């Protein structure tokens, strides 16, 4: 059998002949699309740096039917295929470990608004979907901190974000239906709904490529972005905790310690000596939120009613403050762990003690309680992994963003892939029951 580059070249020629997608082998493009934002992780920066693993060709299909055709041709030529959206993922999920075809889905951008759902192509960016929805009087249920992500990328590789306080994760009812292109040689599409969606959500395309999604929406609300400041972590935690009692629930509640505050890209001046709380609140609850801030001992710094400001605030949530910290201090190496548990509110010193050196906490709120990005200086992969059992001993859940393995519904995904990808050609290297370093720990999402 000839090598993957030769087989890929033949498959690419066939795809071009069939008109199933624009094909390129331009080296600069291949380098760009063969990596994602995994450079945030010092571990992945060592293991999957940009340029180490490259696709042999990139193909951009224009329709779901084109995707099915591309996969049929790839199946016939035994060519691995790695699907990709906007490349905003942080875990190396879109790294083409075996070369082959990089499937760029960003041309699948159609948007159709329904009564209480929206149906879009997998490559539609959530910023674009949101503009259409707001014009129609609807809101996205949830969206990631990088709102320029594609919907297919978010469902296939993401998890939580703005709106998760009320609506949970991508696995908690967001998706109504998905149209899938399998890697089984059929060249056909099929649609899944209900419980059958599980092996296609947050499984990085190893069970089939998502080409279209129908997801739930809400009636549009007016949102206000609230900035508050506190003199102590205890005050910040008290206000943070109290926001779960606000009705309607806030869309986002992010908090940071002073070490992270000074690097935030905020539209208002933030005191780098104080603890920051940022909330996207239903405008009808601004007085409730402000009262909770004052009761906890803090000050409201700003209340911004422009809807665009909620996007800007979202851009300072989840792992983004860690990226701002890394960018501001390129001479030092920082990593973060995604965690959840009440110790984040109740015993922050014990959480910080799980790692050596300066340790900082970035806070979020989920429906079930607090989450945090625990941020510390990188002293090697083993030292980083050694902190996981310490946090677990505090009753915390932990998820490592420093590995590329499918970490949800693994057994179901393996069983599904036997049918939808019998040759194991879809996103090779991402689906295994026994990874060499297993830090796939549940933090309360399913």
């Amino acid at each position: 059998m000839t090598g993957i580059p030769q087989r890929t070249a033949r498959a690419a020629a066939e795809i071009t002949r069939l008109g199933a997608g624009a094909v390129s082998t331009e080296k600069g493009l291949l380098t760009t699309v063969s990596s994602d934002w995994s450079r945030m992780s010092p571990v992945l920066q060592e293991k999957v740096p940009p340029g180490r693993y490259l696709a042999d060709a990139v193909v951009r299909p224009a329709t779901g039917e084109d995707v099915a055709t591309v996969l049929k041709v790839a199946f016939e030529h035994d060519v691995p295929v790695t699907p990709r959206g906007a490349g905003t993922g942080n875990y190396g999920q879109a790294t083409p470990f075996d070369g082959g075809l990089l499937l760029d889905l960003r041309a699948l951008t159609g948007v159709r608004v329904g009564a209480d759902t929206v149906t879009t192509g997998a490559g539609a960016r959530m910023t674009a979907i949101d503009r259409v929805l707001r014009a129609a009087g609807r809101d996205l249920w949830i969206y990631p901190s990088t709102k320029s992500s594609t919907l297919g990328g978010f469902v296939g590789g993401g998890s939580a974000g703005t709106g998760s306080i009320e609506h949970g994760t991508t696995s908690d009812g967001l998706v109504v239906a998905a149209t899938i292109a399998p890697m089984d040689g059929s060249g056909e599409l099929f649609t899944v709904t209900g419980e059958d969606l599980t092996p296609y959500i947050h499984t990085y395309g190893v069970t089939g490529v998502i080409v279209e999604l129908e997801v739930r929406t809400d009636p549009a609300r007016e949102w206000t972005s609230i900035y508050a400041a506190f003199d102590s972590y205890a005050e910040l935690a008290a206000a943070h905790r109290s926001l779960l009692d606000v009705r309607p629930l806030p869309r986002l509640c992010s908090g940071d310690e002073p070490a992270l505050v000074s690097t935030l890209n905020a539209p208002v001046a933030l005191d780098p000596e104080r603890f920051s709380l940022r909330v996207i609140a239903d405008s009808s609850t601004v007085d409730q939120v402000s009262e909770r801030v004052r009761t906890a001992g803090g000050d409201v710094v700003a209340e911004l009613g422009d809807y665009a400001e909620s996007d800007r605030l979202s851009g300072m949530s989840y792992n983004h403050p860690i990226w701002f910290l890394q960018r501001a201090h390129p001479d030092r190496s920082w990593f973060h762990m995604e965690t959840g548990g009440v110790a984040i509110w109740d015993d922050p010193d014990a959480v910080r003690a799980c790692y050596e050196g300066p340790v900082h906490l970035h806070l979020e709120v989920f429906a079930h309680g607090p989450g945090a990005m625990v941020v510390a200086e990188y002293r090697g992969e083993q030292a980083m992994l050694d902190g996981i059992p310490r946090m677990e001993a505090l009753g915390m859940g932990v998820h490592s963003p420093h590995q590329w393995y499918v970490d949800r519904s693994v057994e179901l995904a393996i069983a599904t892939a036997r049918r939808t990808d019998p040759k194991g050609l879809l996103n090779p290297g991402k689906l295994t029951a026994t990874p060499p370093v297993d830090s796939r720990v549940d933090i309360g999402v399913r």
Side-chain angles (χ1 to χ4, degrees):
M1 180 180 288
T2 55
I4 289 175
Q6 293 75 28
R7 300 201 300 273
T8 302
R10 290 197 290 270
E14 178 70 1
I15 290 164
T16 299
R17 185 186 70 79
L18 293 171
V23 176
S24 175
T25 56
E26 196 272 313
K27 185 65 177 291
L29 177 62
L30 290 177
T31 300
T32 298
V33 299
S34 293
S35 61
D36 56 18
W37 271 82
S38 57
R39 57 185 175 274
M40 274 195 65
S41 163
V43 177
L44 298 183
Q45 188 70 271
E46 295 169 358
K47 294 183 177 181
V48 291
R52 177 171 294 175
Y53 299 98
L54 295 177
D56 297 297
V58 57
V59 57
R60 180 180 280 201
T63 68
E65 289 74 16
D66 286 344
V67 174
T69 299
V70 168
L71 296 191
K72 183 176 188 295
V73 172
F75 182 88
E76 292 168 348
H77 289 272
D78 292 309
V79 172
V81 175
T82 303
R84 182 186 194 271
T88 59
N90 303 120
Y91 309 135
Q93 304 110 310
T95 306
F97 289 138
D98 290 351
L101 285 174
L102 194 292
L103 185 64
D104 184 344
L105 298 167
R106 286 176 291 176
L108 278 63
T109 58
V111 179
R112 305 190 305 276
V113 179
D116 55 6
T117 64
V118 63
T119 301
T120 86
R125 292 183 185 264
M126 302 189 77
T127 46
I129 299 168
D130 191 49
R131 282 195 297 271
V132 175
L133 282 175
R134 292 290 291 183
R138 306 295 298 179
D139 271 340
L140 284 163
W141 254 28
I142 58 174
Y143 57 86
S145 49
T146 306
K147 200 175 180 181
S148 59
S149 302
T150 65
L151 181 59
F154 182 45
V155 170
S159 179
T162 302
S164 284
I165 300 172
E166 182 174 2
H167 293 303
T169 73
T170 51
S171 298
D172 296 318
L174 169 70
V175 184
V176 175
T179 301
I180 308 294
M183 179 63 104
D184 60 0
S186 68
E188 301 291 334
L189 300 171
F190 62 88
T191 299
V192 289
T193 61
E195 292 298 319
D196 293 338
L197 287 160
T198 301
Y200 303 98
I201 297 175
H202 196 77
T203 50
Y204 314 160
V206 299
T207 52
V209 176
I210 298 171
V211 301
E212 187 175 80
L213 287 156
E214 182 183 5
V215 298
R216 300 185 197 279
T217 63
D218 281 328
R221 302 179 194 173
E222 295 302 316
W223 301 103
T224 298
S225 299
I226 301 171
Y227 291 76
F230 302 86
D231 292 328
S232 71
Y233 185 90
E235 292 174 345
L236 169 64
H240 200 238
R241 186 194 301 261
S242 74
L243 294 176
L244 279 174
D245 295 328
V246 172
R247 293 294 182 275
L249 283 164
R251 214 173 193 195
L252 186 74
C253 303
S254 300
D256 283 292
E257 298 187 306
L260 297 169
V261 172
S262 62
T263 66
L264 295 175
N265 183 29
V268 297
L270 300 180
D271 187 339
E273 302 298 321
R274 304 185 77 191
F275 295 78
S276 172
L277 175 67
R278 303 174 302 282
V279 183
I280 301 177
D282 185 297
S283 296
S284 69
T285 67
V286 169
D287 289 345
Q288 291 184 59
V289 173
S290 298
E291 178 59 29
R292 281 164 169 75
V293 168
R294 288 189 289 269
T295 298
D299 303 305
V300 175
V301 175
E303 298 172 357
L304 307 178
D306 185 348
Y307 181 71
E309 291 295 345
S310 66
D311 284 355
R312 188 163 181 172
L313 195 152
S314 292
M316 293 178 281
S317 66
Y318 287 84
N319 58 11
H320 282 212
I322 293 83
W323 163 241
F324 295 142
L325 181 71
Q326 291 172 333
R327 186 176 62 178
H329 300 286
D331 56 318
R332 302 170 75 176
S333 182
W334 300 92
F335 75 92
H336 71 282
M337 279 289 184
E338 301 170 354
T339 70
V342 294
I344 294 161
W345 283 334
D346 296 341
D347 200 354
D349 287 340
V351 176
R352 295 187 193 98
C354 291
Y355 289 108
E356 289 185 34
V359 178
H360 311 302
L361 302 180
H362 165 78
L363 305 185
E364 296 291 346
V365 175
F366 303 109
H368 56 273
M373 306 292 173
V374 178
V375 188
E377 286 194 283
Y378 184 61
R379 302 170 189 265
E381 183 178 12
Q382 190 56 54
M384 181 192 73
L385 294 174
D386 287 346
I388 293 178
R390 298 179 192 127
M391 288 185 280
E392 290 180 318
L394 298 175
M396 298 170 63
V398 186
H399 174 262
S400 170
H402 308 286
Q403 49 80 29
W404 53 79
Y405 305 106
V406 171
D407 54 9
R408 272 193 234 163
S409 309
V410 178
E411 292 182 2
L412 179 58
I414 291 171
T416 302
R418 291 193 188 104
R419 173 173 50 85
T420 58
D421 181 27
K423 293 184 179 180
L425 294 170
L426 278 177
N427 211 355
K430 312 308 190 305
L431 181 60
T432 174
T434 56
V437 177
D438 196 349
S439 52
R440 304 179 300 189
V441 183
D442 184 19
I443 59 171
V445 295
R446 64 178 180 83

